[in-house]
Amino acid sequence: MHQVWKLARHNKILQQSLRPGSVLGQVSLVDSDSEEDDALHYYAKHTAQIEIVRHDRSMEQIVFPVPNICEYLTEESKVRVFTTTERDDQGSKVNDFFQQFDNLYNEMTWQKKIRKNKVLFWFSRQISLWGSISFYLACLLNIAVAVFYPFGDDGDEGTLSSFWNILLWVALGVFTALLPVLPKPCGILFFLVSLILRAIYTMGLGPALLLLGTINLFNKIVFLVSFVGNQGTFTRGYKAVVMDMLFIYHLSYAMICVLGLFVHEFFYSFLLFDLVIREETLLNVIKSVTRNGRSIILTAVLAIFLVYFFSIIGFLFLKDDFRMEVDRLPATGKRDLLSNSEVADTCIKDGCPVSTAKSAAGDDDGIERVCDTLLMCIITVLNQGLRNGGGVGDILRRPSKDEPLFAARVVYDLLFFFIVIIIVLNLIFGVIIDTFADLRSEKQRKEEILKTSCFICGLERDKFDNKTVSFEEHIKSEHSMWHYLYFLVLVRVKDPTEYTGPESYVAQMIAEKNLEWFPRMRAMSLVSSEGDGEQNEMRSLQDKLDGTVTLVTQLSGQLAELKEQMTEQRKNKQRMGFLGPQPNHHIPAH
C-alpha cells in the first residue's frame, strides 16, 4: 500500500481512487465494502508526506508513518507555534520552527505521561475554562468593591424585596441549567453574575466577597495545576522554571489572590491586568512604550535638563514672578515648608528682595512664593510647566508692559513653550505613536502572511492559481508544517540502523544543524503542473547549450592546432630565408 501511495502521485486516476469514499476507488481499486474504505481512512490518518531537497538541489517526496507520540501534541501548542514563530525571513522562520522542536517533543512526551493520570489530564484539558473563570471573577469582584466599599456602612445588605428576591433565585437556577448549553464565555459570565448577586443579598457583601475570593483562589490554583500539567514545567529543571515568565506571571496572580483574601480587598484591582495578557491589542499598546524605551527615556532626560536650565534662569532673574495661588487646609499646628520663620532666616543670611518682606501679607491672600530656593523652582517648573498646555508661563505672574523685564518674560515663556512643550514632548508622543503604528502594521502583515503564504516553502497563494493543486491542498498535504515536525519526531524515535535513505540524509543534516533540506520557494506540484512541453523546452534549451559549449570547445582546439601549424610554417620560411638560395651545379657535356 505504501508503494501504491507513492505511485499515485504520477497517476491522477490512481490518486483519485486512493481517496477514501471515492467512487473510482470503489470501482477500480477496492470493493465497495466499508472495511476497505476504513483502511484507506486509517492509512491516510497515520501517514504523512513531505518534500525534501537533496545536495544536488533535486527534490524528493517522502511518505512516512506518523509516530504514535505525535497524537499527544496539543492544539494550544499548534496555535502558539503557528502564530508566534518568526516570519520576517524564509530562513529565519524555518530556523525558529526548528529551534522549538525540542520543547514540542518534550511536551508530547509529557502529555503521553499525564494521559495515565485521568484527573490531571481532565484538569489540563480545561485550562482555557479555568482562565476565563478567573478573569470573570476578578472583574466581578472589583465591580462589587468599587460599588459597595466601605462595606456595611449602609446597613442594607441582605435586604431585598420579595419580587427581586424570587427573581434572583429564578435567574440563578435558569443560568445554572443553561450553563452546559450556552457558549462557554457567555454561560460562565451570566452564571457568575447571578451567583454573586444572590450571594450578596443572602449572606451580605463581606461574607460574599470572602467566599468569591476563596473560589477565585481555588480556581487559580486549579489553573496552575493545569498549566503545569500541560507544559510539564517542573520536569524541565529549576532554571527553566525560573525563566518561564508565563509561569511566574500566573504564580504572581495566585499570590495577589491571597493578598486580596487575607490582607485587603484593594489588591483585587491588580487582577484586572490579566486583560493585557489576554488581548494582543493591549500588548501592542504596552509594547509601543517599551519597544523604543531607550529613545523615550533619553528624550525625557533631555526634557529634565531643559527644565533644570529654565529653572536656573527663573531663580536668577524671575524669582518674584513665581507666585502661585494655593488652597490651604485648616490649621493643624504644623509648620509649612516655607514658613515665615524660615523665610526670615533666609533673608538674614542671604538678603531678600523687597517682595519677600511682604510675603506674610501675601500668605493671607492665598498667594505663595514657589521659587525662593532652586529646588522649589525646579519642582514648580517640572510640575506646573509640563502639565500646562502653554508651559510654565501659565502659572507665573502676569507682568505689566512697563516693567523692565517684560521683554525677558515674553522670551522666557515662548522659549519654554516651543522647546519643551512643542518639540520635546511631541518627540516623545511621536515615538510612541509611530511605534504603535509599526506594531499594528506588523500585525496586519503577519496575518496576511499567515493567510497567503506557505510556512515551509514561502510560496504565496497566487502561485497556485490555475494549477492542479490548490493552495489549501498544498499547505495541508504537501508542505504541512506539522508533517515536517512529525518527520523530525520519526527521525528521533526510530532506530538509526533502520533508517531509509532519505531518513539518513535528514538525520545527518539535523546533526549538522543544516536546514537546506527544507524546500524554499519550490514545490514539486508546481514543477509537474507546468506541463511536459515547458519541461521539454527547458531540456531542449539545456541540450542546445551543452552542444554549443562542446562545439565551441572543439573549434577552440582546432583553432589552436591551426595556429601551431601556421607558426611552424612561418618558422620554416624564416629558416629558408636565412640560408639563401642554393646554387645549381651543371655538368658540361662533352
Side-chain angles (χ1 to χ4, degrees):
M1 189 65 181
H2 184 71
Q3 300 299 328
V4 173
W5 201 275
K6 283 187 175 181
L7 293 174
R9 184 169 60 89
H10 305 282
N11 191 309
K12 293 183 179 180
I13 299 177
L14 184 59
Q15 185 178 8
Q16 291 290 335
S17 65
L18 285 176
R19 293 180 179 177
S22 63
V23 178
L24 288 173
Q26 295 175 358
V27 174
S28 61
L29 194 65
V30 297
D31 296 330
S32 59
D33 190 6
S34 61
E35 294 182 358
E36 303 199 8
D37 195 41
D38 293 339
L40 291 177
H41 277 288
Y42 181 84
Y43 187 82
K45 182 179 180 181
H46 291 83
T47 57
Q49 67 178 31
I50 62 172
E51 295 175 358
I52 64 173
V53 179
R54 290 285 193 169
H55 284 301
D56 59 356
R57 311 310 300 167
S58 63
M59 295 187 66
E60 180 180 353
Q61 188 180 65
I62 303 173
V63 180
F64 62 95
V66 177
N68 294 331
I69 195 174
C70 294
E71 68 182 62
Y72 299 104
L73 182 63
T74 60
E75 291 298 328
E76 291 82 2
S77 297
K78 286 185 177 181
V79 173
R80 173 176 52 82
V81 173
F82 182 71
T83 55
T84 61
T85 301
E86 180 64 44
R87 291 173 179 263
D88 290 342
D89 182 72
Q90 176 65 20
S92 65
K93 68 178 182 181
V94 172
N95 181 65
D96 192 14
F97 174 69
F98 182 75
Q99 294 295 331
Q100 299 186 58
F101 167 67
D102 289 333
N103 292 334
L104 292 174
Y105 179 75
N106 293 333
E107 181 180 337
M108 285 185 276
T109 305
W110 173 254
Q111 287 290 327
K112 184 178 180 180
K113 291 180 180 179
I114 69 171
R115 291 289 177 93
K116 300 175 182 179
N117 190 330
K118 301 297 182 182
V119 177
L120 181 59
F121 175 71
W122 184 85
F123 278 106
S124 300
R125 292 295 85 202
Q126 306 297 325
I127 185 171
S128 59
L129 175 62
W130 314 132
S132 300
I133 292 176
S134 292
F135 176 70
Y136 293 139
L137 280 174
C139 292
L140 296 174
L141 281 169
N142 280 280
I143 291 174
V145 171
V147 172
F148 296 106
Y149 194 87
F151 307 139
D153 60 339
D154 297 333
D156 59 349
E157 287 124 353
T159 60
L160 199 64
S161 64
S162 58
F163 172 76
W164 289 105
N165 191 24
I166 296 174
L167 187 61
L168 278 179
W169 281 114
V170 172
L172 179 60
V174 169
F175 289 130
T176 303
L178 293 179
L179 192 58
V181 180
L182 292 176
K184 281 187 177 180
C186 297
I188 294 172
L189 181 60
F190 291 148
F191 171 75
L192 289 177
V193 170
S194 60
L195 179 63
I196 289 177
L197 290 176
R198 184 63 270 173
I200 289 175
Y201 286 102
T202 300
M203 302 183 302
L205 186 59
L209 286 179
L210 184 63
L211 176 62
L212 292 176
T214 305
I215 294 174
N216 192 22
L217 177 60
F218 176 76
N219 180 78
K220 197 59 187 181
I221 293 175
V222 171
F223 180 90
L224 278 173
V225 172
S226 303
F227 181 83
V228 173
N230 272 329
Q231 303 293 329
T233 305
F234 295 107
T235 62
R236 293 179 292 173
Y238 173 76
K239 185 177 180 181
V241 174
V242 175
M243 298 300 295
D244 191 347
M245 300 307 299
L246 198 57
F247 174 74
I248 298 299
Y249 165 75
H250 292 302
L251 187 62
S252 302
Y253 190 105
M255 295 302 298
I256 293 174
C257 292
V258 173
L259 293 175
L261 186 62
F262 295 104
V263 180
H264 201 283
E265 293 83 359
F266 286 170
F267 281 102
Y268 287 135
S269 60
F270 292 102
L271 301 182
L272 296 177
F273 285 104
D274 189 41
L275 182 63
V276 178
I277 304 298
R278 297 170 63 89
E279 293 294 335
E280 185 178 359
T281 303
L282 292 179
L283 281 176
N284 287 337
V285 173
I286 302 299
K287 289 179 182 178
S288 64
V289 180
T290 58
R291 171 175 285 192
N292 290 326
R294 176 180 173 82
S295 300
I296 295 174
I297 292 175
L298 290 177
T299 309
V301 170
L302 174 62
I304 293 175
F305 290 164
L306 292 172
V307 166
Y308 178 64
F309 175 74
F310 279 98
S311 300
I312 292 177
I313 295 177
F315 178 75
L316 293 176
F317 304 104
L318 305 171
K319 184 184 300 184
D320 294 338
D321 291 346
F322 280 80
R323 294 171 174 269
M324 192 164 55
E325 184 176 355
V326 296
D327 298 325
R328 290 186 175 84
L329 293 173
T332 57
K334 295 182 179 179
R335 298 170 63 187
D336 284 340
L337 182 65
L338 294 176
S339 61
N340 293 335
S341 59
E342 291 175 349
V343 172
D345 293 340
T346 306
C347 291
I348 293 174
K349 293 180 181 179
D350 303 329
C352 57
V354 177
S355 58
T356 305
K358 301 179 181 178
S359 61
D363 289 344
D364 297 335
D365 299 332
I367 303 299
E368 189 174 274
R369 296 174 59 86
V370 290
C371 195
D372 288 332
T373 63
L374 181 59
L375 178 60
M376 279 304 302
C377 252
I378 295 173
I379 294 175
T380 302
V381 175
L382 186 64
N383 180 35
Q384 300 293 333
L386 297 183
R387 293 193 298 111
N388 284 279
V392 72
D394 287 355
I395 57 104
L396 296 183
R397 181 182 66 86
R398 293 173 176 80
S400 171
K401 61 182 177 60
D402 298 328
E403 295 182 13
L405 294 179
F406 176 77
R409 264 295 307 276
V410 173
V411 174
Y412 181 81
D413 295 347
L414 288 178
L415 284 178
F416 189 92
F417 176 72
F418 282 113
I419 296 176
V420 179
I421 302 299
I422 293 182
I423 297 178
V424 177
L425 292 186
N426 283 317
L427 281 176
I428 297 176
F429 299 150
V431 170
I432 296 175
I433 294 173
D434 290 343
T435 305
F436 183 76
D438 293 341
L439 289 171
R440 184 174 57 186
S441 300
E442 289 177 7
K443 180 183 178 182
Q444 294 175 350
R445 184 169 61 252
K446 184 177 180 180
E447 291 176 351
E448 186 69 18
I449 292 174
L450 290 176
K451 295 178 181 177
T452 61
S453 66
C454 174
F455 181 87
I456 298 299
C457 65
L459 291 172
E460 297 182 351
R461 181 184 293 270
D462 57 359
K463 301 294 183 181
F464 296 88
D465 292 342
N466 302 322
K467 303 296 182 181
T468 56
V469 177
S470 65
F471 178 75
E472 285 73 17
E473 293 175 343
H474 172 74
I475 62 176
K476 183 178 180 181
S477 59
E478 294 182 342
H479 284 179
S480 172
M481 60 185 299
W482 309 120
H483 289 181
Y484 281 84
L485 176 65
Y486 299 159
F487 189 75
L488 292 174
V489 175
L490 177 67
V491 172
R492 171 167 292 192
V493 301
K494 191 174 182 180
D495 188 354
T497 59
E498 299 180 359
Y499 280 164
T500 62
E503 292 168 357
S504 299
Y505 165 71
V506 173
Q508 180 183 358
M509 298 289 279
I510 293 174
E512 298 173 356
K513 295 184 179 181
N514 190 340
L515 302 178
E516 294 183 357
W517 60 278
F518 279 90
R520 299 182 183 180
M521 308 305 295
R522 300 174 63 188
M524 296 181 66
S525 58
L526 292 183
V527 175
S528 61
S529 64
E530 290 175 354
D532 296 335
E534 186 176 349
Q535 294 184 9
N536 293 334
E537 183 179 355
M538 293 296 295
R539 293 195 190 97
S540 177
L541 291 175
Q542 184 67 36
D543 293 340
K544 289 181 181 180
L545 181 61
D546 293 340
T548 303
V549 172
T550 304
L551 180 60
V552 170
T553 303
Q554 293 176 355
L555 290 176
S556 299
Q558 294 176 2
L559 183 62
E561 293 178 0
L562 182 60
K563 185 177 181 180
E564 291 179 358
Q565 292 177 4
M566 294 295 294
T567 303
E568 187 66 27
Q569 290 179 3
R570 190 179 297 110
K571 289 180 179 180
N572 291 334
K573 288 182 180 181
Q574 292 176 354
R575 192 179 300 113
M576 294 292 294
F578 289 148
L579 294 177
Q582 296 292 333
N584 294 327
H585 299 282
H586 299 284
I587 299 175
H590 295 283

